Amino acid sequence: MNQPSAYATFKTKGEFVYRTSAYIQWGTSSESLGSCLLLNPGSSTLYRERPAPHHATMGETTLDPTMRQLVKLTEGIYSAKTAQGTLNGRLHIYNLFSLQHPTAKEAIGLLEDLLQKGETALDEHITRSHELVKHPWMLLGWGCMAKTSRAITSLKERWLQEIAAAGVPTFGKPCATGKNYYHPCPQLHAMRELILRDLIALHEQVCGTVRR
């Protein structure tokens, strides 16, 4: 079976790193296998040097735990193809905001601070509908945050507007509030296989069994 690799674009702005795009690649096709919308980039890094200041650097990146879980999810959705070793295409990973930080709560605080200082803007973190339209589906999984912020609320609203305008089917496991969605890679390892089964079942409800 062809083994997936991950690629991403990073840029530095001031002392912070932003991951502005990311995808997991099977085979050689650039066709979209699907996409997901998470909170913010976590711990993946380029194999080579840190991106130069104010320049975007694109290259192969490490597969962090979330990416490894997304590999299992995608291969589960396309199980007929992966059984034959013929999965060919890309899973695109989007985030509500692109500021990279391994701790979600601290990342949100940093984002708020940078917005107030004018060092970033909400528009810099949104992907438009003309780009999203290429995806057959999108997983919503930005996490079950008990408390949020005005910026995060605005980002969710604007992302959902663009997704709706693109007509991309969405699915995700709703949190108790019904407003957020469980992250696909829980911190508790024992929960990871359970949520994978739930998400694959939810995908089938929305999109049907995939036999591409």
Side-chain angles (χ1 to χ4, degrees), residues 54-112:
H54 307 295
H55 286 82
T57 302
M58 201 286 179
E60 189 171 359
T61 182
T62 56
L63 280 164
D64 63 19
T66 293
M67 287 182 174
R68 294 183 186 280
Q69 183 79 340
L70 291 171
V71 166
K72 292 181 180 180
L73 174 66
T74 307
E75 292 181 347
I77 288 171
Y78 292 93
S79 57
K81 286 290 188 184
T82 54
Q84 301 167 23
T86 57
L87 193 58
N88 196 23
R90 296 174 178 177
L91 176 77
H92 292 258
I93 303 170
Y94 298 104
N95 299 97
L96 290 180
F97 61 99
S98 59
L99 176 64
Q100 188 169 39
H101 196 289
T103 305
K105 185 176 179 180
E106 292 182 19
I108 293 170
L110 282 173
L111 176 69
E112 290 278 0

Side-chain angles (χ1 to χ4, degrees), residues 161-183:
Q161 288 170 1
E162 295 293 337
I163 294 166
V168 180
T170 62
F171 68 98
K173 184 174 181 178
C175 306
T177 62
K179 295 181 180 180
N180 294 311
Y181 298 87
Y182 282 95
H183 192 277

Side-chain angles (χ1 to χ4, degrees), residues 136-178:
W137 49 263
M138 179 175 283
L139 164 68
L140 304 180
W142 53 65
C144 298
M145 295 169 286
K147 293 183 179 180
T148 187
S149 68
R150 183 177 299 178
I152 296 300
T153 299
S154 294
L155 284 167
K156 289 177 191 174
E157 291 173 351
R158 294 174 71 171
W159 268 101
L160 291 174
Q161 288 170 1
E162 295 293 337
I163 294 166
V168 180
T170 62
F171 68 98
K173 184 174 181 178
C175 306
T177 62

